[in-house]
């Protein structure tokens, strides 16, 4: 049985060579099990070999993944498996740029009917140090479509 911490110290080439040896040994063990050979191969030996191969493959994949992460560290685009997963909704939501986009019709409406600015004189200057407050109100066109009951 191969120890995981020992495998992590080896380079990828040595791991691949060891993997080939283990696969060959597993093939021999399976042939020995099927054929009525003089040396009886135990099922536990096959199980141990399969587990060792799985352990080796896991470490090889970890090393390759880590190499990929370092390769794409400062790149603009990353492979799909390295991207932040998040939730399904967050992946589909509009970006800030997409949210701020306006259609030509909306732009024309806004340019023809800009928000109106009114200046109110402050009544109590102790509370409000500014001489006047600015606020915007929607144009009468915008009020037509509102569902608020009129105060008249």
């Amino acid at each position: 049985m191969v120890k995981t911490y020992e495998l992590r110290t080896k380079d990828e080439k040595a791991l691949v060579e060891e993997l080939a040896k283990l696969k060959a040994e597993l093939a021999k063990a399976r042939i020995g099990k099927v054929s009525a050979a003089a040396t009886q191969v135990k099922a536990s030996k096959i199980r141990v070999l399969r587990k060792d191969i799985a352990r080796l493959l896991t470490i090889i994949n970890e090393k390759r993944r880590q190499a990929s992460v370092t390769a794409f560290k400062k790149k603009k685009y990353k492979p799909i498996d390295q991207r932040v997963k998040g939730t399904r909704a967050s992946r589909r939501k509009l970006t800030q740029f997409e949210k701020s986009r306006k259609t030509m019709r909306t732009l024309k409406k806004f340019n023809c009917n800009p928000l109106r600015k009114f200046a109110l004189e402050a009544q109590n200057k102790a509370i409000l140090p500014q001489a006047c407050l600015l606020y915007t109100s929607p144009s009468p066109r915008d009020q037509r479509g509102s569902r608020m009951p009129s105060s008249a």
Side-chain angles (χ1 to χ4, degrees):
M1 188 169 132
V2 195
K3 297 289 181 185
T4 310
Y5 67 88
E6 293 170 358
L7 293 175
R8 289 188 204 282
T9 58
K10 295 181 179 180
D11 64 328
E12 189 177 337
K13 195 173 186 180
L15 292 174
V16 171
E17 288 172 5
E18 194 165 339
L19 180 66
K21 288 179 189 174
L22 284 173
K23 282 186 174 182
E25 193 176 341
L26 179 64
K28 284 180 186 176
R30 283 188 171 149
I31 290 169
K33 181 184 171 189
V34 172
S35 66
T39 58
Q40 193 65 21
V41 178
K42 294 183 181 177
S44 62
K45 174 73 174 171
I46 292 175
R47 183 176 185 275
V48 169
L49 285 171
R50 286 178 55 236
K51 300 295 176 185
D52 285 346
I53 290 171
R55 194 174 295 116
L56 254 172
L57 285 171
T58 302
I59 291 171
I60 289 171
N61 284 332
E62 282 177 1
K63 286 184 175 276
R64 287 180 181 167
R65 191 176 306 267
Q66 189 60 39
S68 174
V69 167
T70 55
F72 285 95
K73 186 111 180 155
K74 295 187 180 183
K75 302 279 172 128
K76 184 175 179 182
Y77 298 108
K78 294 182 178 181
I80 293 174
D81 62 332
Q82 291 180 20
R83 296 178 194 164
V84 177
K85 186 170 183 185
T87 61
R88 189 169 190 264
S90 69
R91 290 194 303 268
R92 280 153 180 75
K93 105 179 145 179
L94 294 175
T95 63
Q96 194 60 40
F97 175 74
E98 290 168 340
K99 284 181 194 174
S100 65
R101 299 284 310 258
K102 303 277 189 250
T103 61
M104 287 302 293
R105 183 175 184 206
T106 308
L107 289 172
K108 285 177 187 175
K109 273 182 157 179
F110 184 75
N111 289 336
C112 291
N113 304 306
L115 291 175
R116 298 175 183 182
K117 293 184 180 179
F118 299 90
L120 296 178
E121 192 173 321
Q123 294 174 351
N124 189 351
K125 291 186 181 178
I127 296 171
L128 301 169
Q130 310 95 306
C132 65
L133 295 173
L134 283 175
Y135 79 96
T136 58
S137 96
S139 64
R141 268 193 176 172
D142 294 340
Q143 291 177 353
R144 265 191 280 158
S146 68
R147 295 180 183 214
M148 299 281 292
S150 61
S151 58

